[in-house]
Amino acid sequence: MLVGVVVPVTVAVKVFVRVALFVLDGIAVAIAVFVGVNVGVLANVFVKVVVGVLRGVFVLVRVAVEVGVATGVFVRV
């Protein structure tokens, strides 16, 4: 009698574990995609910010040089 009960329970547990692992894999993939997209967006924003800051610094340096030349602090060679 015990064997008749244990086998279906064992099969049910195996099926449950497989389904649970499949669902967890699906959740893991969804999280990975979500994180990947967000990291991609953040990286894109970060690159834009860095480029913007570098452009700003470049413009400030150019303005400073032009002001320096105009005021005679710097001499064009």
Side-chain angles (χ1 to χ4, degrees):
M1 181 63 186
L2 189 60
V3 173
V5 174
V6 170
V7 171
V9 169
T10 306
V11 171
V13 167
K14 284 183 179 178
V15 169
F16 176 76
V17 168
R18 283 189 179 168
V19 170
L21 288 176
F22 181 75
V23 170
L24 288 175
D25 279 349
I27 292 171
V29 168
I31 290 172
V33 169
F34 181 74
V35 169
V37 167
N38 284 336
V39 167
V41 169
L42 288 175
N44 193 13
V45 169
F46 179 74
V47 167
K48 286 182 178 178
V49 167
V50 169
V51 168
V53 168
L54 290 177
R55 278 185 178 167
V57 168
F58 182 69
V59 168
L60 285 175
V61 168
R62 278 183 41 194
V63 168
V65 168
E66 290 300 323
V67 169
V69 168
T71 57
V73 174
F74 298 129
V75 178
R76 282 197 196 270
V77 178

